Each structure stands twice: as C-alpha cells, then as structure tokens.
Amino acid sequence: MIRFVLLLLSLCFIVLNCQQRKTSSIYYNPLANAQDIQQFRLEGKARLDFPNDRLRMQNVLPESAKQKANFVLWCPLEVKEGVKISFKFKALSRRGLAVFFFLAQGRDGSDLFSKHLQIRTGEYKQYHHGDIDSYHLSYYRRRKERDIASPNIRLRKSYGHHIARTAADPIQFQKEHLLEFQVLHGSITFSVDGTVILSWKESGKFGKALKKGKFGFRQMAPLVAEYSELEVFALEISD
C-alpha cells in the first residue's frame, strides 16, 4: 500500500512538472512618468498624470457627456497568444468602470492602428460593433457607490459584445491590487493578487479564437484610477 501511494505521488509530480508553465519577461514598463507612455495611444479625452510615480487616469469631459466622456489608452506593443500581462491597479473613486482590452486588431487581421480603420474616440460601440476584434474584461464596475450584488467581472468577446464568462469582483476601493491576464492554448485566465477569479476556454461559439493584437486600458467616467508596473511575459508549457 505504501509503495502504491509513493508511486502515485511520483506520477503526480511528473505530470505537474510536465505541465509547468515557463515564463519569460518580454516587456516591462513602470508607468512612472510621461516618458513611459510617450508611445502609447489615447483614444478619447483624458487627464493623464503621475502624482505618485504611477499613471493616474481620469476623464476630462463631465459624466453627463456619457460615452463621449470615456476613453481608451493603448500600449503600442503587439502580443501573441501564449502571453501573460500583469499590472497594478488602484481605484481612487468608488464609481466608474475599468476595462482591459487584449488581442485587439482589425477585423481583417490588420494592425489595430492601421490608418484604414475607423477613427475611435472612446465611445464603447466603436469597440464592440466597429471594425475591430478583441477580448475585453471589465474588472472594476461600480455604477452606484458600491455594487456588490451583481457579478461585476465580465469577459466579453467582440466583434459582437458577447458575454463569455462572469465572476464576482474582489477588487477593493483605494487598495492596490496585482491583476494578471493570461491567454494560453485558447484559455483565458484572470487573477487578482495571485488568486484565479475567472477562467474560460474558447469553443468557437463566438467566432474563431483571437491569436494576436494590442492591449489597452479603458475607463468610464467618473472613475479615477492609478496603474503601475506593467509587465508582459511569454508563456509556454515545458516538456
């Protein structure tokens, strides 16, 4: 019996080692000053500053302007499936919405910044029913002072605004959290402070899996939030 248990443990160890993910950092940006985002692209109007050596973003148009008050800030780096993207996030206001777009590209497979694509100005419909494809996950959603009853985290796939998966939101107001987004072999995983909050695997229900593209940060008024320590890792399964 003891030999059997030892053999079983040994086999489990071998399997776990075979499935161990190798990671290698391919991009790091502290988001600590204006120079760090010089090559980023802002769509819409926003105030971007660095009062605490962290990127602070907020709307400049009033909330009453509705979708026109919202914006997206894109990183110029293009990534491919088999990637993990992490950054630190801190909400400085209770209300508002934060979304992470990833593997975003033109619907024809072109670069997200291609000149032949429609001009985008931060209004949401341009991103889910425009001429681009992407995954996007809303990880901080507060329409009221404190929304805790609904599953605030929503993973969507566009074109089409399809809801792929929802989950409860553990992110706390005025607390810095480490957020991680991983795409590997058609599976998407979202983690907060090292704990997996949401996972989903592509099935083709909402079209073919997205393989490459850019990533960016979207905010909805009146959210004020800080971002720092952006890092991108290449992932692979070891043999």
Side-chain angles (χ1 to χ4, degrees):
M1 183 64 181
I2 294 176
R3 284 186 176 181
F4 176 78
V5 172
L6 291 175
L7 178 60
L8 185 61
L9 289 174
S10 178
L11 289 173
C12 290
F13 179 79
I14 292 172
V15 171
L16 287 173
N17 274 313
C18 288
Q19 295 299 315
Q20 185 177 5
R21 290 184 176 89
K22 290 181 179 179
T23 64
S24 56
S25 179
I26 59 174
Y27 177 83
Y28 176 74
N29 190 327
L31 302 178
N33 54 56
Q35 186 69 25
D36 289 339
I37 62 168
Q38 189 174 20
Q39 302 301 318
F40 282 47
R41 179 173 296 197
L42 177 65
E43 295 174 351
K45 297 181 179 180
R47 176 181 173 183
L48 310 177
D49 52 19
F50 303 84
N52 299 309
D53 295 326
R54 300 180 184 90
L55 169 61
R56 179 178 293 183
M57 304 201 300
Q58 60 190 98
N59 52 294
V60 294
L61 296 179
E63 186 180 0
S64 59
K66 299 183 178 179
Q67 282 294 327
K68 293 184 182 298
N70 306 327
F71 58 90
V72 180
L73 181 68
W74 294 104
C75 177
L77 181 70
E78 180 161 291
V79 297
K80 297 180 180 181
E81 194 266 357
V83 69
K84 180 173 73 172
I85 304 169
S86 69
F87 58 89
K88 290 185 176 179
F89 170 84
K90 184 178 182 179
L92 301 180
S93 59
R94 290 189 181 276
R95 294 180 55 244
L97 181 144
V99 179
F100 186 66
F101 284 89
F102 53 105
L103 300 189
Q105 62 177 5
R107 297 203 67 202
D108 58 358
S110 61
D111 185 88
L112 183 69
F113 299 158
S114 175
K115 292 182 179 179
H116 78 271
L117 296 179
Q118 300 168 12
I119 295 174
R120 301 179 297 269
T121 57
E123 297 176 54
Y124 193 30
K125 190 173 183 179
Q126 299 168 350
Y127 299 85
H128 63 75
H129 274 85
D131 54 3
I132 67 173
D133 290 326
S134 75
Y135 298 112
H136 42 113
L137 191 148
S138 54
Y139 54 89
Y140 186 85
R141 301 176 69 249
R142 302 289 188 274
R143 296 184 183 279
K144 301 177 181 178
E145 281 300 303
R146 181 63 175 165
D147 273 336
I148 58 175
S150 61
N152 285 325
I153 292 178
R154 294 181 182 177
L155 172 65
R156 295 181 184 266
K157 184 178 179 182
S158 295
Y159 183 85
H161 205 226
H162 304 290
I163 296 180
R165 185 61 57 87
T166 63
D169 176 1
I171 295 177
Q172 299 179 35
F173 167 59
Q174 290 191 333
K175 178 180 178 181
E176 188 173 68
H177 294 275
L178 175 64
L179 310 185
E180 297 174 299
F181 300 80
Q182 177 176 293
V183 186
L184 183 64
H185 301 325
S187 293
I188 295 174
T189 304
F190 171 60
S191 302
V192 177
D193 298 328
T195 299
V196 174
I197 304 300
L198 177 149
S199 61
W200 175 74
K201 186 172 180 61
E202 272 281 9
S203 65
K205 180 179 179 180
F206 306 126
K208 63 182 180 180
L210 305 180
K211 298 293 187 179
K212 65 177 182 177
K214 291 184 167 59
F215 60 89
F217 310 90
R218 173 178 170 80
Q219 281 191 197
M220 184 179 82
L223 180 64
V224 181
E226 290 183 341
Y227 304 77
S228 63
E229 298 185 40
L230 170 64
E231 191 161 11
V232 180
F233 302 86
L235 298 175
E236 60 179 284
I237 299 292
S238 62
D239 297 326

